Amino acid sequence: MSDPALPAARKARQEQPSGRQAPASVGRQESGVALPGFLASALTTLLLVAVASGLAWYVIGNRPLLAVLATLLLGAVGAAALLLLRRQARQAQHDVQALGAFAQHLRSGDVGAALRAVRADAPGATTVWGDDTATERVDTGTPASQFDVQAREVEVALGERERRWQARMRLSADWHWETDAALVLNWVSQDLASLVKLGVQPGDLIGHRLDAVPLFDPPEGGWPLVLERMTQRKALREVQIEVRRRGRSPVWVALNARAHFDDEGQFTGYEGVGRDITEERIAMLRLAESERRHAMMAELAADWYWQTDAEHRIVDLGPVARALVGARVDQVLGRPRWEAFADGASDAEWAAHRADLEAQRPFRGFEFSVRQAGHALRWVSISGVPRLDARQRFIGYHGVGRDVTLKKRAERLLLTRNEQLERLVNARTAELEQSNRDLEAFARQLAHELRTPISQVVGLTDLLKSTSWERLADNEREWLRLAGQAAREMSHTVTALLELARSTSTALLLETVDLSALAESVIAELPWLERAAQVQWTIQPGLEAHCSAPLARVVLTNLLGNAAKFTRDVAVPRVVFERDADGVFVVRDNGAGFDAKQADALFQPFVRLHRGDQFQGTGLGLSIVRRIIERHGGAISAHGEPNHGARFAFRFTRTRSAAVADDSDDVAA
């Protein structure tokens, strides 16, 4: 059954309940009319033949043979006329029957059957010799009757219209419905069960009013408003309802309908369509929820929205901004910002801001002050972007603003505190520099004061050795030797103390230093030591660092000198200076080594892990090295094992990864 024709069929049945008998009755009525017409034509033909015969006899007179021939000819003509009249009567009867069947199928809504009825009941072509069947017409080429031609034109036109309507119905997501005069649904689209349409059976809707369909939830405003409009015979526009389908997710549909009236103006019900608006409804609900969230955020946030027109006049301000402006809000709206808050920024700042606006550039973080009578000065920060219409034409700016008064006060307080702190730091730095200068001067003076008597003691002991060594007893000689040794060690200690003081006060002139070449120079200048074997030095070439060259020499002198000293008794002494995979410089040896637990004590002044009679020294060398490395922002570490050598790893500057790791450790701690 064809759905689009069903409404017309239903109306036809309402107008003519006995539609099924209509074609037969029409045929009988038309047949009754055709039979008297045929008899009248026959009688008229016979009358004409009789009149013609009488005239022939009258004209011919004494020529009987010619009269007989004329009479026979007139009789043949009359017979032919009778046969033609008979064919016309039959054709009329067939036409009536075909039209009756066509109308009956249309009333039932079956357009296809109506077209087939036209093809089946169409009469054949009529000639003076009788009837031709459809097959005979095809075989003989006899032209079809006028009815047959018109029937075929109707068939083609209705078939094409039906095809287009069916295609439209299949491709459309709309579905159709109708009610009777009591507003009860009595017809819906037969393909309503399709998920594209609604996904429910027609029986779930037929027999119910819209407000009584179990699957329909009331629209906004309720069913009474809808029924009131239907009672008033008004059209329904976009009545949105939710359909809760069994075993499936609910959908939203929009109903549109209009009242229908018959030819006499009597109300017969409503006819309408339903349209799936689920995606539109979900999008609308999401948009509404998003707007609700944004409205809540706008109410709770300290920011506000603002908007200007193409002339940069303020046309809209948020409630926070209105409260900030206070009674001046009427003076602010409709004016450019540089006129409403002329004293809020300098002329140069307003000029730069206006240049951004004239160039239609986005801007961010423009700050100006707002003065309100009876209140403290407030500061605001605004950001904005150009507004464009649908044709990409500039129509103004819009953006957000924020009250930054607390931040400005904090910045001002911080600036004041920073100035105070800077003055305090400068004062303390000056005091510290003066103290360092005094300490260095004291160290130099002390070294000078100590070196003179120590040098005298050393000189006197040497003089006594050269003049009286033979006359002294053995114990006296030992006393003289110990006195000279003590004086020399004290001289070395004074020199080391002076070097330690200089290591903390010498200016850092950083440059790229070739540590490999510097190490070779230091090795060549190391003092001679009595040892078991010569040291095997391994210096990695191309070692460079960004540091102070004089202080780097002090570092290598102490580290390489210690390595040479503590490998004195080793049979095959080896010392290596290299850089590992992490970029750390390493000095390692296979000498006496030390206990790893005492590694931190090595860098304390005057701390020694070996006996003085075994390895001489002041205990200040590694302290000097550590201070120099730390002044460069680096670090040094010691690793060792007794009788298996020592390893010192250092870097002059800390890498970014090491600094981050140390900061992470501090935070974790």
Side-chain angles (χ1 to χ4, degrees):
M1 181 177 291
S2 176
D3 285 342
L6 283 180
R10 186 185 62 79
K11 293 179 179 61
R13 288 194 297 271
Q14 291 176 354
E15 296 171 0
Q16 185 174 346
S18 58
R20 294 186 180 274
Q21 290 74 24
S25 61
V26 171
R28 288 193 295 270
Q29 293 171 3
E30 296 297 334
S31 298
V33 173
L35 183 58
F38 171 74
L39 293 177
S41 299
L43 293 175
T44 302
T45 301
L46 292 176
L47 180 60
L48 290 174
V49 170
V51 172
S53 299
L55 290 174
W57 283 102
Y58 178 76
V59 172
I60 295 175
N62 57 354
R63 297 179 181 179
L65 181 59
L66 186 59
V68 172
L69 291 176
T71 302
L72 292 176
L73 180 60
L74 291 174
V77 172
L82 288 175
L83 291 176
L84 181 59
L85 290 174
R86 176 176 173 272
R87 178 58 182 167
Q88 290 178 346
R90 291 183 60 188
Q91 180 179 347
Q93 184 177 5
H94 280 248
D95 291 347
V96 171
Q97 291 176 353
L99 290 176
F102 179 76
Q104 175 62 21
H105 289 302
L106 281 184
R107 289 190 181 95
S108 63
D110 195 346
V111 177
L115 298 178
R116 289 192 296 272
V118 170
R119 290 196 298 269
D121 295 337
T126 303
T127 67
V128 295
W129 310 110
D131 300 338
D132 286 337
T133 62
T135 304
E136 293 171 344
R137 289 198 301 271
V138 174
D139 295 339
T140 62
T142 304
S145 66
Q146 185 67 22
F147 178 85
D148 196 8
V149 173
Q150 293 180 356
R152 289 183 180 276
E153 292 179 355
V154 170
E155 176 184 356
V156 172
L158 289 178
E160 183 64 18
R161 184 175 182 183
E162 174 73 5
R163 183 191 64 78
R164 292 174 179 172
W165 180 256
Q166 289 293 340
R168 178 181 177 186
M169 288 300 297
R170 284 193 299 269
L171 296 176
S172 173
D174 295 349
W175 50 278
H176 296 72
W177 55 274
E178 289 186 359
T179 71
D180 56 17
L183 305 181
V184 175
L185 291 166
N186 59 0
W187 177 86
V188 294
S189 300
Q190 293 301 312
D191 56 356
L192 194 64
S194 170
L195 291 178
V196 178
K197 303 295 184 180
L198 188 59
V200 299
Q201 296 297 328
D204 295 331
L205 306 184
I206 294 179
H208 302 280
R209 287 200 323 182
L210 290 177
D211 60 331
V213 176
L215 305 179
F216 288 176
D217 281 353
E220 295 182 3
W223 285 115
L225 294 178
V226 177
L227 296 177
E228 181 180 356
R229 290 189 63 86
M230 297 180 74
T231 303
Q232 298 173 358
R233 312 300 185 243
K234 294 181 179 180
L236 301 181
R237 300 297 183 192
E238 295 295 318
V239 178
Q240 299 182 4
I241 61 175
E242 185 176 5
V243 182
R244 300 189 177 276
R245 305 176 298 180
R246 302 183 186 92
R248 293 176 181 158
S249 60
V251 296
W252 284 87
V253 297
L255 301 180
N256 292 273
R258 66 177 181 179
H260 182 266
F261 300 89
D262 59 15
D263 295 338
E264 298 178 357
Q266 296 295 323
F267 173 70
T268 59
Y270 267 83
E271 54 185 5
V273 295
R275 178 169 55 89
D276 188 340
I277 59 169
T278 303
E279 295 184 359
E280 301 174 13
R281 184 72 178 187
I282 292 175
M284 184 180 66
L285 292 176
R286 289 178 178 173
L287 180 60
E289 179 64 20
S290 177
E291 291 180 351
R292 185 189 65 81
R293 288 196 300 265
H294 283 86
M296 181 187 66
M297 292 174 59
E299 292 179 359
L300 298 178
D303 298 347
W304 68 82
Y305 175 81
W306 58 266
Q307 183 174 309
T308 62
D309 58 14
E311 302 298 328
H312 309 299
R313 294 173 298 208
I314 301 174
V315 297
D316 188 19
L317 285 175
V320 178
R322 290 176 178 268
L324 185 66
V325 175
R328 293 181 54 195
V329 64
D330 293 335
Q331 303 174 5
V332 170
L333 294 176
R335 300 176 63 189
R337 193 174 291 111
W338 50 86
E339 293 182 5
F341 307 102
D343 56 348
S346 65
D347 293 340
E349 291 173 335
W350 282 127
H353 179 59
R354 294 181 66 176
D356 288 338
L357 298 182
E358 295 300 331
Q360 298 180 11
R361 292 190 295 260
F363 65 90
R364 181 180 297 275
F366 178 71
E367 297 181 352
F368 60 93
S369 62
V370 177
R371 299 182 182 275
Q372 183 179 355
H375 294 79
L377 183 68
R378 311 290 292 184
W379 284 86
V380 297
S381 174
I382 60 173
S383 301
V385 295
R387 288 192 303 129
L388 304 177
D389 61 9
R391 297 182 180 178
Q392 299 302 306
R393 294 178 301 185
F394 176 74
I395 57 175
Y397 268 81
H398 62 170
V400 294
R402 171 175 294 186
D403 187 346
V404 294
T405 304
L406 294 179
K407 188 190 78 167
K408 297 293 287 187
R409 292 175 180 174
E411 288 177 354
R412 183 172 299 178
L413 179 61
L414 182 61
L415 182 61
T416 303
R417 294 295 176 85
N418 285 340
E419 292 175 353
Q420 295 176 354
L421 181 60
E422 186 176 357
R423 290 195 297 269
L424 181 60
V425 169
N426 291 335
R428 295 294 176 86
T429 302
E431 293 177 3
L432 182 59
E433 290 176 351
Q434 184 63 38
S435 298
N436 288 335
R437 287 193 294 268
D438 294 343
L439 180 60
E440 185 177 359
F442 173 75
R444 290 196 188 98
Q445 184 67 26
L446 179 62
H448 177 72
E449 295 296 334
L450 291 176
R451 277 180 177 178
T452 300
I454 292 175
S455 298
Q456 293 176 355
V457 172
V458 172
L460 290 174
T461 55
D462 291 340
L463 180 61
L464 187 58
K465 281 183 181 180
S466 61
T467 59
S468 304
W469 183 260
E470 299 295 336
R471 292 179 293 138
L472 296 177
D474 291 339
N475 56 347
E476 292 175 345
R477 292 177 181 177
E478 180 65 18
W479 294 341
L480 184 60
R481 186 186 66 80
L482 291 176
Q485 180 180 350
R488 289 184 178 85
E489 290 181 356
M490 182 171 291
S491 178
H492 293 326
T493 301
V494 170
T495 302
L497 285 173
L498 183 59
E499 190 68 30
L500 179 62
R502 289 175 179 174
S503 67
T504 58
S505 60
T506 302
L508 288 178
L509 301 178
L510 301 181
E511 58 183 332
T512 301
V513 179
D514 186 350
L515 296 183
S516 298
L518 187 61
E520 297 286 355
S521 175
V522 169
I523 292 172
E525 298 176 0
L526 289 178
W528 178 87
L529 288 176
E530 184 179 354
R531 49 190 317 113
Q534 292 297 322
V535 178
Q536 298 180 5
W537 298 97
T538 302
I539 308 299
Q540 180 179 340
L543 299 180
E544 293 183 348
H546 192 65
C547 59
S548 171
L551 295 180
R553 173 178 287 274
V554 174
V555 171
L556 292 181
T557 298
N558 282 277
L559 293 179
L560 296 177
N562 284 345
K565 179 172 63 176
F566 288 103
T567 57
R568 184 183 61 186
D569 299 329
V570 178
V572 184
R574 289 188 297 272
V575 178
V576 178
F577 178 39
E578 61 183 359
R579 179 160 47 194
D580 62 12
D582 296 331
V584 178
F585 299 107
V586 176
V587 175
R588 55 185 175 87
D589 61 67
N590 61 343
F594 58 89
D595 188 354
K597 297 179 180 179
Q598 298 176 321
D600 292 338
L602 285 175
F603 300 101
Q604 301 297 326
F606 303 108
V607 174
R608 302 180 60 190
L609 302 183
H610 300 85
R611 300 192 315 272
D613 58 348
Q614 185 180 8
F615 298 103
Q616 297 179 354
T618 61
L620 293 174
L622 292 180
S623 300
I624 295 173
V625 169
R626 183 174 185 178
R627 291 195 179 188
I628 292 175
I629 295 296
E630 289 179 348
R631 284 196 64 195
H632 283 78
I636 185 171
S637 60
H639 309 274
E641 186 177 351
N643 301 321
H644 288 81
R647 179 179 182 273
F648 292 87
F650 66 95
R651 67 170 80 240
F652 284 101
T653 56
R654 297 170 61 185
T655 61
R656 181 174 180 84
S657 59
V660 171
D662 292 345
D663 293 342
S664 301
D665 294 340
D666 294 340
V667 172

